[in-house]
């Protein structure tokens, strides 16, 4: 229900939540469109993060992962339009595309920073080696990975790599 969703989002901001994190695949873009309604009047209060790379069909079916530079640019422009904003604070690659060198993907992401469309770059569910290679192209600000009581895998390599490079998790 859109009215309830907007009420919850506005209340969250009212009580101090300041990070909204979404992805173009959530609801096949509908979540970004929903957030645009809140961002229209409260953008200055929000650190806005969104992700690209996991492609879904109009019916929601998973179509694969895409890290090609031309897709990075098109996905960003589409997210900016759906969100109704002129920039994204933190732009994540949702999953690493194993068919495209991370250097090419992050190179395209860095172009978005230079163009003023994106402020900071992030990776989601990336290995320590991938993080190091990406960070050599452009500073990576954050890594988003599952880290819970059930999944401690990132503690062996990803966490030390992020700490060494000054990347938030």
């Amino acid at each position: 229900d859109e009215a309830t969703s907007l009420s919850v989002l506005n209340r969250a901001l009212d009580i101090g939540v300041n990070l909204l994190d979404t992805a173009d695949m959530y609801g096949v873009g509908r979540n970004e469109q929903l957030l645009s309604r809140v961002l229209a009047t409260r953008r200055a209060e929000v650190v806005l993060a969104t992700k690209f790379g996991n492609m879904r069909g109009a019916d929601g079916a998973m179509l694969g992962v895409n890290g090609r530079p031309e897709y990075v640019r098109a996905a960003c422009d589409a997210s900016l339009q759906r969100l109704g904003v002129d920039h994204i604070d933190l732009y994540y690659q949702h999953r690493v595309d194993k068919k495209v060198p991370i250097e090419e993907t992050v190179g395209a992401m860095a172009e978005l920073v230079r163009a003023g469309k994106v402020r900071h770059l992030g990776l989601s569910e990336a290995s320590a080696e991938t993080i190091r290679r990406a960070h050599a192209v452009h500073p990576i600000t954050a890594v988003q990975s599952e880290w819970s009581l059930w999944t401690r895998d990132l503690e062996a390599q990803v966490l030390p790599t992020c700490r060494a490079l000054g990347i938030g998790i």
Side-chain angles (χ1 to χ4, degrees):
D1 170 271
E2 186 171 313
T4 301
S5 296
L6 292 171
S7 177
V8 168
L9 287 166
N10 278 297
R11 179 68 179 132
L13 295 178
D14 290 344
I15 62 172
V17 170
N18 68 350
L19 173 66
L20 296 180
D21 184 339
T22 187
D24 60 1
M25 71 172 278
Y26 298 161
V28 193
R30 288 187 303 276
N31 190 257
E32 289 180 332
Q33 291 170 332
L34 173 71
L35 291 181
S36 75
R37 305 270 312 274
V38 173
L39 295 168
T41 58
R42 302 187 74 171
R43 177 63 177 104
E45 301 172 55
V46 172
V47 175
L48 178 61
T50 194
K51 296 175 275 304
F52 74 92
N54 283 341
M55 296 179 13
R56 288 192 182 260
D59 63 353
M62 235 353 233
L63 300 178
V65 175
N66 192 338
R68 293 187 332 266
E70 60 276 11
Y71 181 77
V72 173
R73 291 185 287 271
C76 181
D77 288 342
S79 286
L80 288 168
Q81 183 175 16
R82 281 189 299 270
L83 290 161
V85 299
D86 65 352
H87 73 278
I88 297 162
D89 297 308
L90 179 57
Y91 198 46
Y92 284 100
Q93 182 180 23
H94 209 158
R95 293 293 185 273
V96 174
D97 184 344
K98 296 184 186 315
K99 298 181 297 291
V100 178
I102 193 65
E103 293 83 357
E104 290 181 22
T105 303
V106 173
M109 294 169 74
E111 290 174 14
L112 299 172
V113 173
R114 288 189 291 276
K117 295 179 179 185
V118 170
R119 298 282 199 268
H120 303 281
L121 305 183
L123 299 174
S124 184
E125 301 295 339
S127 70
E129 177 191 348
T130 297
I131 294 165
R132 282 190 296 275
R133 289 173 43 212
H135 194 73
V137 174
H138 187 277
I140 300 300
T141 299
V143 169
Q144 187 178 72
S145 292
E146 183 178 0
W147 189 13
S148 69
L149 295 175
W150 293 272
T151 303
R152 312 298 288 189
D153 298 338
L154 66 86
E155 292 176 358
Q157 294 182 7
V158 171
L159 184 59
T161 298
C162 288
R163 284 184 175 152
L165 296 173
I167 300 170
I169 295 187

